[in-house]
């Protein structure tokens, strides 16, 4: 993969007359300190396929956690964050909270 990434970067740099690493400086990590920011991160990630015109609604994207977070769908791979669970102890109320947040 390193060779593929390196060659792709060389191709892009040559084609678009640029230099340097292909993805340098574009992505940064941020610590999630608050419940509000966590929910914004969820919304951003889960709405990305919609914003990219890959699907019309977030539940259509098969790799999304949206079904679990918004509709309570069962999932073997989604592990809910404590802040998400703290929205409400009752699952139905929590789903209402997250649904309202996505509107």
């Amino acid at each position: 993969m390193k060779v593929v990434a390196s060659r792709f970067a060389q191709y892009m740099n040559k084609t678009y007359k640029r230099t340097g690493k292909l993805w340098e400086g574009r992505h940064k990590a941020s610590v999630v300190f608050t419940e509000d920011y966590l929910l914004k991160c969820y919304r951003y990630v889960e709405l990305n396929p919609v914003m990219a015109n890959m699907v019309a609604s977030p539940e259509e994207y098969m790799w999304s956690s949206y079904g679990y977070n918004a509709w309570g769908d069962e999932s073997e791979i989604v592990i809910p964050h404590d802040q998400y669970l703290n929205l409400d102890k009752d699952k139905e109320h929590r789903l209402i909270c997250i649904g309202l947040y996505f509107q």
Side-chain angles (χ1 to χ4, degrees):
M1 286 307 298
K2 183 178 179 181
V3 171
V4 171
S6 174
R7 293 217 173 122
F8 183 68
Q10 291 172 9
Y11 165 79
M12 293 297 287
N13 285 342
K14 183 176 181 182
T15 302
Y16 295 101
K17 297 179 178 36
R18 55 182 306 278
T19 61
K21 295 178 183 177
L22 193 55
W23 293 283
E24 73 183 351
R26 288 186 54 211
H27 305 284
K28 298 187 184 328
S30 299
V31 177
V32 177
F33 283 116
T34 66
E35 178 182 298
D36 187 56
Y37 185 57
L38 173 71
L39 295 176
K40 287 177 183 177
C41 290
Y42 277 174
R43 185 173 56 190
Y44 173 80
V45 169
E46 292 175 348
L47 292 178
N48 260 341
V50 177
M51 301 306 287
N53 293 317
M54 297 168 63
V55 293
S57 62
E59 59 264 15
E60 294 175 18
Y61 189 64
M62 68 183 288
W63 303 110
S64 176
S65 57
Y66 181 81
Y68 178 87
N69 290 328
W71 302 112
D73 296 348
E74 295 297 320
S75 175
E76 295 178 8
I77 60 173
V78 176
I79 301 169
H81 192 279
D82 289 341
Q83 291 287 6
Y84 172 75
L85 295 175
N86 288 337
L87 286 173
D88 201 295
K89 292 182 182 184
D90 180 68
K91 180 180 178 180
E92 296 302 318
H93 289 145
R94 188 169 54 244
L95 294 175
I96 292 169
C97 288
I98 202 74
L100 293 172
Y101 195 80
F102 268 83
Q103 290 181 354

